[in-house]
């Protein structure tokens, strides 16, 4: 039996944004592992075991996947968006570091369309020049580091994409992030709130920092802040290619 393990990105939500490569891996899989809502996107079929698990158990999930694949299973770990963007691919390699005996296992990372890029496309081209992505959750890093990176990225005039902007367990931090952006970027900077991109509930709203309020974001929102040249053209937002 020759098992394998793929870490696959399911894209932001729409079925037609799942890549053919990911579809093929899922069609051959014997086991799919991931956070419940992502596993729920996989159609059940005979011979396929679906293993949904709770949030924040990434290393357990990775260990489980490694064990199944080493026993001969064809395993896909699913992430939303891209698996390498604040998701399961790094968690898998963290687990693999502790298992030198499995370093020759057949492992592939299959990219997906990340939320920030799907959101940018639906808004226009706000990431058309240099940009960065910051995870605003302090689950895996201290909040002062988030503030530090945010401030320096704003000073460097990057356009920015923010993942995990706001959750009910930490409602004040996104308000603080908006304060820092206002200080560094001024009131006229454009900010786009892109919620549930590529799903029937998609909502894309662009306002100035002066108009932005913390309630405009939740955990299904990716937030994009333009650079100093980002502007509107018709119903779109774009960042010119030169600075
Ligand atoms: N690996 C994922 C990101 C996981 S972190 C990716 O590459 O997209 C989870 C965060 O992603 C959410 O809090 C939200 O900020 C963002 N996100 C994921 N799907 C989204 C969608 N369809 N619309 C808007 N934001 C989304």
């Amino acid at each position: 039996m020759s098992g394998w393990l793929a870490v696959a990105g399911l894209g932001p939500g729409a079925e037609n944004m799942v890549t053919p490569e990911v579809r093929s891996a899922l069609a051959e899989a014997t086991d799919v592992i991931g956070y419940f809502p992502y596993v729920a996107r996989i159609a059940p079929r005979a011979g396929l075991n679906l293993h949904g698990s709770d949030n924040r158990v990434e290393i357990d999930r990775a260990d489980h996947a490694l064990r199944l694949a080493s026993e001969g299973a064809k395993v896909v770990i699913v992430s939303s968006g891209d698996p390498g963007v604040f998701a399961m691919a790094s968690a898998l390699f963290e687990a693999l570091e502790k298992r030198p005996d499995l370093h020759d296992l057949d492992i592939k990372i299959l990219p997906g369309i990340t939320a920030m890029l799907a959101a940018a496309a639906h808004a226009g081209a706000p990431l058309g020049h240099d940009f960065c992505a910051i995870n605003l959750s302090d689950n895996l890093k201290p909040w002062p580091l988030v503030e530090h990176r945010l401030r320096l990225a704003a000073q460097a005039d990057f356009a920015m994409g923010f993942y995990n902007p706001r959750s009910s367990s930490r409602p004040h931090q996104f308000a603080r992030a908006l304060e820092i952006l206002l200080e560094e970027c001024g009131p006229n900077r454009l900010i786009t709130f892109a919620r549930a991109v590529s799903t029937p509930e998609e909502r894309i709203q662009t306002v100035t920092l002066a108009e932005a309020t913390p309630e405009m974001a939740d955990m299904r929102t990716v937030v994009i802040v333009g650079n100093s040249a980002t502007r509107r053209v018709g119903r779109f937002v774009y960042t010119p290619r030169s600075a």
Side-chain angles (χ1 to χ4, degrees):
M1 284 208 292
S2 55
W4 51 256
L5 172 54
V7 191
L10 296 177
E15 280 313 303
N16 62 5
M17 288 196 192
V18 180
T19 69
E21 181 182 48
V22 168
R23 260 183 227 295
S24 303
L26 288 167
E28 289 174 31
T30 56
D31 295 84
V32 170
I33 294 181
Y35 180 38
F36 283 119
Y38 307 152
V39 171
R41 287 178 56 186
I42 310 304
R45 61 172 162 78
L48 178 64
N49 304 303
L50 298 174
H51 311 269
S53 51
D54 224 331
N55 219 348
R56 297 197 180 190
V57 293
E58 290 88 355
I59 296 296
D60 295 347
R61 220 183 263 150
D63 285 338
H64 184 198
L66 284 169
R67 189 172 66 247
L68 288 176
S70 69
E71 291 166 359
K74 297 169 178 172
V75 184
V76 179
I77 302 179
V78 287
S79 282
S80 75
D82 181 272
V85 179
F86 312 129
M88 278 304 297
S90 289
L92 174 72
F93 290 124
E94 284 170 39
L96 189 65
E97 274 182 337
K98 300 201 172 71
R99 293 296 304 269
D101 56 313
L102 297 182
H103 284 189
D104 290 333
L105 199 65
D106 179 359
I107 294 176
K108 289 192 177 68
I109 310 300
L110 311 181
I113 299 177
T114 190
M116 177 177 75
L117 298 187
H122 289 190
L127 304 176
H129 197 60
D130 299 343
F131 64 88
C132 66
I134 301 179
N135 185 345
L136 292 187
S137 166
D138 67 348
N139 181 21
L140 296 169
K141 64 188 166 194
W143 176 254
L145 180 60
V146 178
E147 287 199 12
H148 183 61
R149 290 196 173 146
L150 183 58
R151 200 177 281 284
L152 293 185
Q155 286 172 2
D157 203 18
F158 283 112
M160 293 168 265
F162 302 129
Y163 289 77
N164 296 309
R166 186 164 172 266
S167 79
S168 46
S169 62
R170 44 183 183 84
H172 307 300
Q173 291 176 343
F174 185 58
R176 177 70 190 130
L178 287 179
E179 269 173 27
I180 292 169
L181 288 167
L182 195 58
E183 276 171 42
E184 299 293 342
C185 306
N188 298 322
R189 183 66 58 92
L190 293 179
I191 179 169
T192 299
F193 294 89
R195 183 168 194 279
V197 174
S198 88
T199 77
E201 295 93 54
E202 172 172 316
R203 177 156 193 252
I204 310 244
Q205 184 183 18
T206 299
V207 298
T208 63
L209 277 178
E211 296 161 333
T213 62
E215 298 72 35
M216 289 176 175
D218 65 7
M219 284 306 272
R220 292 190 75 193
T221 307
V222 64
V223 179
I224 296 177
V225 174
N227 74 12
S228 57
T230 302
R231 48 196 184 247
R232 294 179 188 269
V233 52
R235 61 196 165 81
F236 297 107
V237 180
Y238 92 105
T239 302
R241 292 167 301 151
S242 56

